Amino acid sequence: MNVLGKEDPFLKIGESNDRSQKGSSDLVYSLQDLNFEIQQGDAVGIIGRNGAGKSTLLKILSRVTTPTTGKINIKGRVASLLEVGTGFHPELTGRENIYLNGAILGMRKREIDRKFDEIVDFSGVERYIDTPVKRYSSGMYVRLAFAVAAHLESEILIVDEVLAVGDAEFQKKCLGKMGDISKGEGRTVLFVSHNISAIRLFCNSGIFLENGQMKLASSIEKVISNYSLIKKLDYKWEISNPFKSKKNIQITKVDLKLIGNQPLKKLIVEVEIKNNFSVSTPAFIAIYIASGESEPIMEAIPGYSNIFFSSDNLLQKKIITIDIIGLIPDTYKVSLWLGHDHYQELDYLKEITCFEITEYPVVNRTIDYPSHAGFIVPSSHLE
């Protein structure tokens, strides 16, 4: 038996597709032991680290790649959007590629004619619709490719992480369209993305891949929770021997604790600060909170000029309480900055620890945040 040019590879011992370790054999399965069933109308999010096998799975489901072993049963026509450029002929114009893709899906010309104006309007590339797509930018390519895949009459839509190429407005537009496809039209959607917020918002079930194997197939919240466990930072952080540091003043320990219920949760941050000598200028702490994708969310400065350093107080503990009203479920990263007025930095710990929100805030509740420099500035105080 020949598999990918190798003679009887099943006589050799295979190994898992762990990209972080050196392999010992010359046979590695990109995917192995996958067994799942997707119902009509499901919106399925496929998540996992880079190299887990997500794109390979979509290529197999799209019939771009044939599986070495096993079988896949698909009922219905499949429209897929994989890497940028898949399915488009670079020498043909945007108009010609729309008709070509429709013909590949088995649609008649009059059916494509009926959808044509809607596709062009959604893509936003009307001015260049008669230009060969090889002259398109990557963003224009993705816009037209998604519009074609989403509007032509297929029962199954498969979308890889290509939406990262588009701008924020177009990504929002695409997610809305995929929601309409799944919930309104009853079509099945498979969606690969590293944007956990988009996966949570759009999908009702999920598949978690790790090293080419399926770790879990369940509801999207359960899948995201399991995925977050492997990438989550420790809740506590501490320098093993702070007094050997070369910094004069630095943060040596951070400990987080959540109290209260949504939407009135509080974050308790316990911070230890070590100083090697006395300084006359007081300092303050600023705490920055970002989403799991490192998008800035909050900035808390619990009072200015509130930390003093003296020779008889080499190690001191500060407790900061921050209101984190109304955050949606996600893992949030915490950064700490220590410095003097006029932003003279003493120490900065970027995304050193994190906390997780698991329940949604109360709906239909208006929350007024004071805003500053694009951040939410929650009320906070220091003890």
Side-chain angles (χ1 to χ4, degrees):
M1 177 181 180
N2 270 336
V3 179
L4 299 179
K6 295 185 179 297
E7 293 184 0
D8 200 3
F10 300 104
L11 296 178
K12 302 177 182 180
I13 298 176
E15 56 187 339
S16 67
N17 182 28
D18 189 348
R19 58 183 170 79
S20 63
Q21 298 180 8
K22 184 177 180 180
S24 57
S25 76
D26 58 355
L27 176 64
V28 176
Y29 286 101
S30 296
L31 295 169
Q32 194 170 21
D33 298 330
L34 267 66
N35 186 10
F36 60 86
E37 185 174 343
I38 297 173
Q39 302 298 325
Q40 180 180 350
D42 281 351
V44 183
I46 303 174
I47 59 178
R49 299 167 67 185
N50 291 331
K54 306 184 296 297
S55 295
T56 302
L57 175 60
L58 293 196
K59 287 178 182 177
I60 291 174
L61 294 175
S62 303
R63 297 191 175 97
V64 173
T65 302
T66 302
T68 305
T69 61
K71 62 180 181 179
I72 296 170
N73 295 322
I74 297 177
K75 185 177 181 181
R77 293 177 295 188
V78 178
S80 59
L81 186 57
L82 305 175
E83 298 113 14
V84 175
T86 302
F88 274 12
H89 193 295
E91 298 294 337
L92 299 181
T93 65
R95 182 187 303 273
E96 291 165 338
N97 271 295
I98 291 174
Y99 282 93
L100 175 63
N101 273 259
I104 291 172
L105 284 173
M107 296 177 64
R108 297 180 183 276
K109 185 176 182 299
R110 63 173 176 270
E111 293 178 289
I112 305 172
D113 288 339
R114 192 172 66 248
K115 294 280 187 177
F116 184 84
D117 290 340
E118 192 176 349
I119 291 171
V120 174
D121 181 63
F122 187 92
S123 68
V125 296
E126 182 176 4
R127 181 173 182 176
Y128 306 102
I129 197 64
D130 291 310
T131 301
V133 296
K134 67 180 181 181
R135 307 193 190 283
Y136 284 16
S137 69
S138 57
M140 292 168 60
Y141 219 120
V142 166
R143 280 176 167 269
L144 185 60
F146 182 87
V148 170
H151 287 84
L152 295 183
E153 295 175 351
S154 61
E155 286 76 33
I156 303 167
L157 176 62
I158 296 176
V159 182
D160 204 347
E161 183 71 276
V162 292
L163 295 185
V165 179
D167 54 69
E169 180 185 354
F170 185 67
Q171 289 182 36
K172 186 177 180 180
K173 193 175 179 180
C174 290
L175 290 172
K177 181 60 180 177
M178 286 194 291
D180 293 341
I181 288 171
S182 176
K183 297 180 178 65
E185 302 174 23
R187 292 158 65 186
T188 305
V189 180
L190 280 75
F191 181 37
V192 163
S193 179
H194 291 286
N195 187 335
I196 299 301
S197 299
I199 290 275
R200 177 182 277 116
L201 178 67
F202 166 66
C203 300
N204 58 9
S205 60
I207 295 173
F208 172 27
L209 297 180
E210 185 177 13
N211 295 335
Q213 297 184 323
M214 186 171 70
K215 303 293 288 186
L216 181 66
S218 184
S219 67
I220 194 61
E221 287 298 334
K222 189 174 291 186
V223 168
I224 289 174
S225 296
N226 277 264
Y227 174 58
S228 297
L229 290 177
I230 69 166
K231 68 168 190 171
K232 192 182 299 181
L233 302 169
D234 290 335
Y235 282 80
K236 295 183 179 181
W237 176 86
E238 183 175 3
I239 292 179
S240 58
N241 192 344
F243 290 94
K244 288 187 177 181
S245 170
K246 294 180 180 179
K247 290 184 178 180
N248 293 322
I249 300 172
Q250 71 173 147
I251 300 169
T252 58
K253 184 177 180 180
V254 181
D255 190 3
L256 300 187
K257 182 169 58 178
L258 276 174
I259 61 172
N261 299 312
Q262 282 278 48
L264 302 175
K265 280 187 178 292
K266 293 183 182 295
L267 179 68
I268 310 297
V269 185
E270 294 187 10
V271 179
E272 275 190 6
I273 303 170
K274 185 266 297 186
N275 61 289
N276 291 327
F277 64 98
S278 300
V279 291
S280 58
T281 306
F284 68 92
I285 291 179
I287 297 180
Y288 305 97
I289 298 174
S291 68
E293 286 73 46
S294 298
E295 291 293 328
I297 302 291
M298 291 183 178
E299 175 189 74
I301 304 177
Y304 285 89
S305 303
N306 48 31
I307 303 172
F308 296 87
F309 303 105
S310 62
S311 58
D312 59 351
N313 191 14
L314 295 178
L315 194 66
Q316 53 183 302
K317 179 191 288 186
K318 298 294 179 181
I319 300 176
I320 302 163
T321 303
I322 305 171
D323 291 334
I324 53 166
I325 301 171
L327 292 182
I328 65 171
D330 198 354
T331 299
Y332 293 90
K333 301 174 182 178
V334 179
S335 304
L336 285 88
W337 186 92
L338 175 67
H340 300 302
D341 286 334
H342 307 297
Y343 292 93
Q344 297 175 349
E345 182 178 302
L346 295 171
D347 197 8
Y348 176 51
L349 306 177
K350 183 178 180 181
E351 297 181 354
I352 193 63
T353 184
C354 71
F355 65 92
E356 186 174 20
I357 299 293
T358 57
E359 73 267 34
Y360 280 92
V362 177
V363 295
N364 299 326
R365 179 168 185 145
T366 302
I367 300 168
D368 294 324
Y369 281 116
S371 61
H372 169 67
F375 290 96
I376 294 171
V377 183
S379 60
S380 58
H381 67 272
L382 180 142
E383 300 172 12

